[in-house]
Amino acid sequence: MSSIYNGNIKISIFGESHGTAIGAVLDGIPAGEKIDFEQVYLQMQRRAPGKSEITTERRESDRPKVVSGVINGYTTGTPICGVIENENIELKNYENLKDVVRPGHADYTAHVKYRGFNDINGGGHFSGRLTAALTFCGAICRQILEQKGITIGAHVYSIFDVFDDHFDMEISKKLLKRLSQEIFPVINPEAKEKMAKKILQTKSEGDSVGGVIECALDNVPPGLGAPIFDGIESKISALVFAIPAIKAIEFGAGFAVAKMFGSQSNDSFALREGEIFTRTNNHGGILGGISSGMPIVFRCAVKPTPSIAKPQDTVSIKSNHPVRISVSGRHDPCIVPRAVPVVEAVSAIAMLDFFKEANLL
């Protein structure tokens, strides 16, 4: 089933954007793991809507109700089920869209696949709202990884043509911890102001804008992962693409290696206090699908929010005629900042999956 991640850690996502609730079942978490649900809630709030003028006006508390798998703050080893109620739905915003397919959305493809029985309100099961459930699962996995010494953090690397700094070769744990607590995380504070200005300018024009998120996982031990189909890149990519707006991903130097010589791309090995490391990290901490011990670094491209006020050409699936629409309602002019904790969450799920595969839990 498409809404089930069937790895060593298993996840089932359920619900629709404007339904009664959304949620997830997280299976494969060992018994006896202490989970601080206030920290889980903090991650949920980083992703939640209605936090500033650069996000949607929809307001959701997004406090998950854990109905199984945890007793007195400790995991029981059985499936953890978290339910997140939808509190601020507005079905009237979609009345005029029932018979048209919105550009950039999954309306048309879902209509064909599900023979017209799909829920179009807010995108239904295809909505970015479902990433709240992913964030819930990832926030639990992240805490277990932190107990193993793994630190995960991401930042808004770019909004359209405004850029933040890249992660340095030596990524500090302090920096990753700071980024993983912020609503709009950037390395260089000056970039945040410029990015916000770009988003607000775009919003005033009835349009939307995209960007790039850069994520790092520090202190990952060497030897995790596998070649060919079960590599670290493969698993992280599969989970990152569960975030609806992601359209591309690159690891390490990424597409830049296409403009390098081998002598530039290769990362020289060296010794430091008897431990093997590489002097550069173009490989992004992964060689042959297996962790090298260097920080795992990747970037993913987030498309502009497809719901925009500017008139767009489309067709009516009822009359089979061309129509022109303007999408009203409550929509983010840019979803990149809210997607950062989701990217961190899915990378935590992937990494915990590798830890369980290696019997390190």
Side-chain angles (χ1 to χ4, degrees):
M1 294 293 291
S2 63
S3 298
I4 296 176
Y5 172 71
N6 194 25
N8 299 290
I9 301 293
K10 303 180 190 303
I11 297 172
S12 178
I13 302 292
F14 60 86
E16 287 80 34
S17 173
H18 283 54
T20 303
I22 60 171
V25 177
L26 174 62
D27 200 356
I29 301 300
E33 297 288 349
K34 183 171 178 55
I35 305 299
D36 181 350
F37 279 96
E38 284 305 311
Q39 286 299 311
V40 172
Y41 183 54
L42 182 148
Q43 293 303 321
M44 302 288 289
Q45 287 304 292
R46 293 177 66 214
R47 192 223 67 93
K51 294 298 180 184
S52 73
E53 60 182 339
I54 65 170
T55 66
T56 173
E57 296 171 3
R58 180 175 181 175
R59 293 187 178 276
E60 296 284 354
S61 63
D62 278 359
R63 183 175 282 275
K65 181 179 180 181
V66 180
V67 298
S68 68
V70 179
I71 294 179
N72 298 325
Y74 287 88
T75 59
T76 63
T78 57
I80 300 170
C81 179
V83 178
I84 306 159
E85 293 184 357
N86 291 327
E87 302 167 347
N88 192 207
I89 60 177
E90 289 190 3
L91 298 178
K92 67 178 187 291
N93 290 332
Y94 301 94
E95 284 296 322
N96 66 330
L97 298 173
K98 287 184 176 180
D99 299 322
V100 296
V101 288
R102 295 168 297 171
H105 284 272
D107 296 351
Y108 172 67
T109 51
H111 175 79
V112 174
K113 182 172 182 63
Y114 300 112
R115 298 177 292 134
F117 288 98
N118 56 297
D119 182 357
I120 63 97
N121 295 305
H125 193 66
F126 294 86
S127 172
R129 175 98 186 104
L130 276 294
T131 60
L134 279 173
T135 304
F136 167 77
C137 295
I140 292 173
C141 294
R142 180 205 291 262
Q143 288 190 40
I144 299 171
L145 287 171
E146 287 176 345
Q147 295 164 20
K148 306 291 183 183
I150 309 301
T151 308
I152 300 173
H155 67 112
V156 180
Y157 172 64
S158 71
I159 299 292
F160 197 68
D161 58 356
V162 182
F163 291 85
D164 190 17
D165 298 336
H166 268 303
F167 280 127
D168 290 332
M169 177 64 185
E170 298 290 337
I171 304 174
S172 75
K173 180 177 181 179
K174 183 178 179 181
L175 171 62
L176 294 183
K177 290 292 288 184
R178 173 176 74 78
L179 295 174
S180 68
Q181 303 290 308
E182 295 181 356
I183 297 290
F184 195 137
V186 291
I187 296 174
N188 185 345
E190 293 181 5
K192 179 178 177 179
E193 184 177 343
K194 295 176 182 177
M195 289 175 177
K197 184 177 180 180
K198 171 65 73 173
I199 294 170
L200 290 173
Q201 177 189 343
T202 304
K203 180 181 179 180
S204 69
E205 297 167 354
D207 215 331
S208 62
V209 68
V212 174
I213 294 169
E214 185 176 51
C215 184
L217 296 85
D218 190 41
N219 203 33
V220 176
L224 297 181
I228 316 298
F229 298 118
D230 289 326
I232 291 179
E233 297 104 327
S234 300
K235 193 158 289 187
I236 289 178
S237 296
L239 283 156
V240 166
F241 281 115
I243 305 170
I246 303 298
K247 299 303 292 183
I249 190 168
E250 63 176 8
F251 291 82
F255 281 95
V257 298
K259 295 182 179 180
M260 292 181 181
F261 293 108
S263 55
Q264 297 170 312
S265 172
N266 291 344
D267 299 307
S268 299
F269 286 100
L271 288 170
R272 181 167 51 199
E273 297 179 0
E275 298 290 331
I276 295 175
F277 76 106
T278 60
R279 291 196 174 97
T280 52
N281 194 23
N282 291 322
H283 67 290
I286 308 164
L287 291 167
I290 301 169
S291 59
S292 68
M294 298 298 289
I296 292 175
V297 180
F298 68 90
R299 287 167 296 281
C300 51
V302 184
K303 74 177 184 179
T305 313
S307 293
I308 58 175
K310 282 194 170 183
Q312 301 175 85
D313 292 324
T314 186
V315 297
S316 166
I317 54 178
K318 184 177 181 180
S319 68
N320 204 32
H321 282 87
V323 295
R324 197 159 172 77
I325 64 167
S326 175
V327 180
S328 60
R330 306 164 300 173
H331 306 288
D332 294 83
C334 177
I335 59 175
V336 179
R338 289 180 58 207
V340 171
V342 190
V343 170
E344 293 173 354
V346 295
S347 64
I349 295 167
M351 189 49 55
L352 194 67
D353 195 294
F354 284 116
F355 266 70
K356 185 164 187 181
E357 180 183 62
N359 295 315
L360 294 176
L361 292 182

